[in-house]
Amino acid sequence: MRIKLDRRLFVGGAAGLALAGCDRLASTPRGKEALNAGEALTYDAAKLLPPNQLAPEYPASQISKVFKPNGSIDPKDPAYKALVAAKFADWSMPVGGLVEAPRSFTLADLRAMPSRTQVTRHDCVEGWSCIGQWTGVPLSAVLALVKPKPEARYVVFHCYDRYGTDYTTEQAGALDEENNPPFYGSIGMGDAVQPQTILAYAMNGQDLPVEHGAPLRLRIERQLGYKNTKYIRSIELMDSYASLGDGKGGYWEDQGYEWYAGI
Ligand SMILES: Nc1nc2c(c(=O)[nH]1)N[C@H]1C(S)=C(S)[C@@H](COP(=O)(O)O)O[C@H]1N2
Ligand SMILES: [Mo]
């Protein structure tokens, strides 16, 4: 599995990372050509795990003592800050788009639904991985309530963080609506209904911390770290993601990463 991950490693970033509690992947980062070549792969060709095969799960003893937070770690959006101040009591998530029964979910709604707990390894394209325990509601259970229309092909996640303001401190700047659009991501319906695809509200038995995407994030264990969208604000079912951002299906995809990032 690690060998297969190598061809997806983005050049740079991996070198010199010292991570307590996380593993450096044994890897030789390749150049940007490999990344672009990968983009040409179709969804099916890019699948590295056979269809419907679950990602590996681990015993609790393997959970990383420190799990590296990455990407946005402290969203500055005033609406998000207000939610943090109220301990997310006022948070609710609309689920709409191409569905028969659009509705919003509070955290209490989600916690009252069936839950799944899984200990999995998160692999970041930067070349590190950490093992964590995640608890949440299967996305399939949420979709069953809103009833996707037959033409729905993608589940799109709209987020509270804005790129360029919420990333690492050296890149942080003032919030600018135009130049710092909200982070977004998307997945296909096939992966959306995998049993390990969950909307996680807890990590290692605690409420999801802000740095890891509070109060709700996606865990999609058959794909790489960057597909595991944090700070979910709303969910939209769509038949195409061409109208969003630069049209590649997510913030990271708009930067050149593959839309399907199989482990
Ligand atoms: N909303 C949002 N989700 C995101 C990101 C981000 O910047 N914003 N970064 C992605 C990347 S590259 C990784 S590796 C993981 C990091 O998750 P962690 O902070 O729990 O380690 O979140 C992913 N999901
Ligand atoms: Mo990542």
Side-chain angles (χ1 to χ4, degrees):
M1 183 190 304
R2 290 183 179 202
I3 292 162
K4 285 177 177 166
L5 184 63
D6 285 352
R7 71 183 177 82
R8 287 178 165 68
L9 285 174
F10 190 71
V11 68
L17 271 183
L19 294 168
C22 296
D23 292 332
R24 270 279 276 112
L25 290 175
S27 61
T28 312
R30 303 270 172 88
K32 184 111 172 136
E33 308 95 278
L35 195 67
N36 291 338
E39 273 183 284
L41 292 172
T42 65
Y43 176 91
D44 284 332
K47 269 185 192 166
L48 299 178
L49 284 178
N52 302 321
Q53 183 170 313
L54 299 185
E57 296 192 17
Y58 299 82
S61 60
Q62 302 254 98
I63 293 172
S64 301
K65 290 194 176 50
V66 175
F67 195 112
K68 178 182 161 64
N70 204 40
S72 297
I73 55 173
D74 190 16
K76 291 189 187 65
D77 188 299
Y80 184 75
K81 287 285 185 205
L83 290 171
V84 174
K87 298 195 161 60
F88 299 108
D90 307 325
W91 179 93
S92 76
M93 174 185 71
V95 182
L98 295 172
V99 299
E100 305 286 353
R103 58 163 284 189
S104 284
F105 293 83
T106 64
L107 283 171
D109 292 334
L110 297 174
R111 286 177 190 278
M113 290 173 67
S115 77
R116 181 182 162 99
T117 295
Q118 57 206 25
V119 177
T120 53
R121 199 183 75 192
H122 176 108
D123 295 331
C124 175
V125 284
E126 292 170 354
W128 55 269
S129 58
C130 293
I131 292 175
Q133 183 199 60
W134 306 99
T135 301
V137 55
L139 179 57
S140 62
V142 169
L143 294 180
L145 290 177
V146 298
K147 301 186 173 61
K149 293 182 176 174
E151 59 269 34
R153 293 185 62 201
Y154 303 102
V155 181
V156 175
F157 302 91
H158 299 286
C159 304
Y160 278 101
D161 59 316
R162 290 164 180 276
Y163 233 80
T165 68
D166 301 327
Y167 197 40
T168 54
T169 43
E170 64 269 22
Q171 289 177 27
L175 190 141
D176 170 343
E177 299 277 335
E178 203 170 316
N179 292 318
N180 306 110
F183 191 102
Y184 73 105
S186 67
I187 63 173
M189 293 303 283
D191 268 284
V193 300
Q194 292 289 322
Q196 288 171 322
T197 300
I198 65 173
L199 297 172
Y201 43 72
M203 175 187 191
N204 298 338
Q206 309 282 326
D207 286 351
L208 192 62
V210 165
E211 59 188 7
H212 292 291
L216 196 75
R217 75 172 303 165
L218 180 65
R219 289 303 311 174
I220 178 163
E221 309 296 354
R222 293 158 44 91
Q223 295 202 48
L224 296 179
Y226 68 85
K227 297 295 290 193
N228 289 255
T229 307
K230 306 194 286 186
Y231 310 112
I232 297 173
R233 184 173 197 156
S234 65
I235 295 179
E236 184 179 10
L237 277 78
M238 303 184 84
D239 58 0
S240 165
Y241 45 67
S243 63
L244 304 172
D246 290 341
K248 302 281 175 52
Y251 172 83
W252 283 110
E253 291 84 342
D254 288 340
Q255 313 301 310
Y257 286 61
E258 294 167 56
W259 177 76
Y260 194 87
I263 57 171

